Amino acid sequence: MNQQTEKNLGLKTASRLDGIGVSKILQISARARELKAEGRPVIVLGAGEPDYPTPDTVKAAAQAAIEANDTHYTPLDGTPEMKQAVQQKFARENDLNFDIDEITVASGAKQILFNAFMATLQQGDEVIIPTPCWTSYEDIVGICEASVVAVPTRPENDFCLEAGDLEAAITPKTRWLLINSPGNPTGAVYSRESYRPILDVLNKYPRVWLLADDIYEHIVHDGFEFATPAAIEPELRSRILTVNGVSKAYAMTGWRIGYAAGPRELIRAMAVVQSQSTSCPSSISQAAAVAALNGPQDFLHERQQSFAERRDLVVDALNRIDGIECRSPRGAFYTFASCAGVLGRKTPAGDLIESDTDFCRLLLEQADVAVVPGSAFGLSPFFRISYATSKQELGEALDRIAQFTGDLSTE
Ligand SMILES: Cc1ncc(COP(=O)(O)O)c(C=O)c1O
């Protein structure tokens, strides 16, 4: 085959993938893995997953499902048992009553988001998302050929969306507002009271739907009471999709089970997307997720406490470092600290830090700690630490960050 022919056969990707790539977080993890393979003692604080194992009762349920030959296609968007477990979860924990046909189950909350946006968005449509936000939102909206309208939030407002900023961002093209509470990467949380003005704005714009990404529901600190919009404002329930999953609460990221509840027309349209992509979520993972949702829940509280201790450890250590400033987040397992104070400084090797991306790159290359720059989430100069790792590793990583930052020179 000559070169010309080879070129003609070259892959031309669809325009819907323009500008969309593997997330920066995965790129950092890949670089960290390379350095580890070279024998470097890299500590990765980039992962968005709890370090706990999946509970034994959940693993046993999966093993039982395999033994019972529960290994075939399941109904399209969830087994009856799984949907019932989700129905009971919403009733028990959120005071929300849904019919079974208002519930959908997919291979992760990410697929739920994908199904919802694929089913409802088209070119020209807009999705309002408070930023900084999880990196995947923009790309999922982009694959659906719609655009994100980023509404910046402020550290002094604990990174929560202000109603006035929301209203100013709404246009005739707005289809969705997406709110993630507790939020990745900032740990922002919305109480019933802080949701109120936002829901009041939505009440005025009946075309705009609300997607509440509640995936970190069970990781809240300082006695914060989790709230979800559909329970706060029943009037809006006909246009709210409440998204959740087992990944973060039950340390089940690899099982790939997410779920949602909302108006049945939307749920039906999402099932159409799923039917032509994955057919159904894994039968074994659904059996495991049923055990997680129906099983003992007391360990969630213990884990919450353990996460809060690690958060305090990280926040205290970061605030002792000259040039770094960190608020104490009230949810999820991330800190989002400013590194504004180190910009303009140089490493002993002579590398100038001009941005959060430089800071994170050099921290990895020269101090063997992987964290994610705020630019990946839409706000600089910040960096995200995932503290879902052992206190020992966190302590060592923070010592290295302090050493690296202390060695920077200002001239
Ligand atoms: C805000 C947010 N939503 C959704 C997800 C996806 O979760 P799942 O593992 O259920 O796909 C993540 C994962 O990191 C996340 O951070």
Side-chain angles (χ1 to χ4, degrees):
M1 196 183 289
N2 67 31
Q3 258 189 344
Q4 187 57 38
T5 327
E6 238 177 44
K7 201 170 164 197
N8 289 344
L9 287 178
L11 177 68
K12 178 165 179 354
T13 56
S15 58
R16 75 175 69 85
L17 285 189
D18 289 353
I20 296 168
V22 175
S23 84
K24 250 191 192 170
I25 304 178
L26 295 185
Q27 288 172 31
I28 290 161
S29 307
R31 180 65 189 139
R33 261 196 308 277
E34 273 173 24
L35 292 174
K36 268 189 177 173
E38 289 168 16
R40 298 258 299 266
V42 176
I43 298 178
V44 181
L45 303 180
E49 57 184 348
D51 57 329
Y52 300 108
T54 299
D56 286 341
T57 48
V58 174
K59 291 194 260 188
Q63 277 155 356
I66 295 172
E67 289 308 320
N69 291 316
D70 185 3
T71 52
H72 300 97
Y73 292 130
T74 74
L76 188 50
D77 65 348
T79 60
E81 296 77 19
M82 179 65 202
K83 288 193 175 186
Q84 203 176 33
V86 171
Q87 186 184 45
Q88 287 166 0
K89 176 261 179 269
F90 278 122
R92 181 179 70 235
E93 297 181 349
N94 309 109
D95 204 14
L96 280 170
N97 293 306
F98 289 105
D99 290 337
I100 288 291
D101 62 355
E102 294 175 306
I103 290 169
T104 186
V105 182
S107 305
K110 193 183 244 181
Q111 195 191 9
I112 292 278
L113 294 165
F114 188 83
N115 290 348
F117 287 152
M118 200 69 183
T120 57
L121 292 176
Q122 46 205 15
Q123 218 167 28
D125 286 344
E126 293 174 352
V127 178
I128 295 177
I129 307 183
T131 55
C133 67
W134 183 42
T135 50
S136 288
Y137 292 145
E138 184 164 8
D139 288 340
I140 297 174
V141 171
I143 287 178
C144 298
E145 301 182 90
S147 22
V148 164
V149 174
V151 178
T153 60
R154 302 167 188 81
E156 57 277 16
N157 198 28
D158 286 327
F159 294 107
C160 284
L161 176 66
E162 299 216 35
D165 292 342
L166 166 63
E167 191 152 16
I170 294 177
T171 75
K173 295 177 187 165
T174 310
R175 296 294 309 278
W176 288 94
L177 163 67
L178 192 169
I179 291 198
N180 170 216
S181 167
N184 174 7
T186 60
V189 285
Y190 293 71
S191 62
R192 285 184 88 85
E193 294 68 38
S194 53
Y195 261 128
R196 191 69 264 160
I198 290 166
L199 302 181
D200 288 344
V201 170
L202 290 184
N203 263 326
K204 292 200 260 170
Y205 296 89
R207 283 173 295 97
V208 182
W209 286 51
L210 172 62
L211 191 152
D213 180 350
D214 293 349
I215 191 91
Y216 294 98
E217 166 175 9
H218 288 292
I219 306 163
V220 287
H221 313 305
D222 311 330
F224 179 83
E225 215 168 291
F226 171 81
T228 193
I232 302 170
E233 181 59 325
E235 286 285 296
L236 276 177
R237 264 189 62 169
S238 60
R239 48 192 171 102
I240 294 179
L241 184 68
T242 305
V243 177
N244 212 316
V246 294
S247 285
K248 315 287 178 176
Y250 303 97
M252 290 178 68
T253 45
W255 299 80
R256 309 307 306 126
I257 294 291
Y259 55 84
R264 50 178 64 80
E265 301 72 25
L266 172 62
I267 297 295
R268 267 202 294 270
M270 289 167 65
V272 172
V273 177
Q274 182 148 298
S275 76
Q276 303 306 352
S277 53
T278 56
S279 293
C280 65
S282 145
S283 57
I284 298 156
S285 296
Q286 288 185 76
V290 168
L293 292 175
N294 289 349
Q297 306 289 314
D298 39 328
F299 69 95
L300 293 175
H301 183 64
E302 285 158 33
R303 288 189 180 174
Q304 250 179 15
Q305 283 180 327
S306 156
F307 277 128
E309 283 168 21
R310 302 183 212 186
R311 174 203 60 172
D312 293 344
L313 184 154
V314 174
V315 171
D316 291 349
L318 288 175
N319 282 326
R320 279 199 297 272
I321 299 174
D322 173 41
I324 291 181
E325 244 181 74
C326 187
R327 305 175 82 81
S328 186
R330 294 169 75 196
F333 42 66
Y334 309 104
T335 57
F336 198 65
S338 163
C339 56
V342 303
L343 301 188
R345 298 189 191 172
K346 277 186 181 169
T347 68
D351 302 289
L352 176 64
I353 298 177
E354 289 185 290
S355 64
D356 52 7
T357 310
D358 288 346
F359 177 70
C360 296
R361 179 175 50 82
L362 293 166
L363 186 66
L364 176 57
E365 298 295 337
Q366 299 182 9
D368 293 323
V369 179
V371 298
V372 186
S375 56
F377 308 99
L379 188 68
S380 294
F382 284 81
F383 63 102
R384 188 192 80 171
I385 284 181
S386 166
Y387 56 80
T389 190
S390 73
K391 279 187 183 170
Q392 195 194 345
E393 271 212 322
L394 286 172
E396 171 62 26
L398 286 154
D399 286 348
R400 290 186 198 172
I401 297 174
Q403 178 82 46
F404 172 80
T405 313
D407 288 345
L408 299 174
S409 62
T410 44
E411 85 276 354

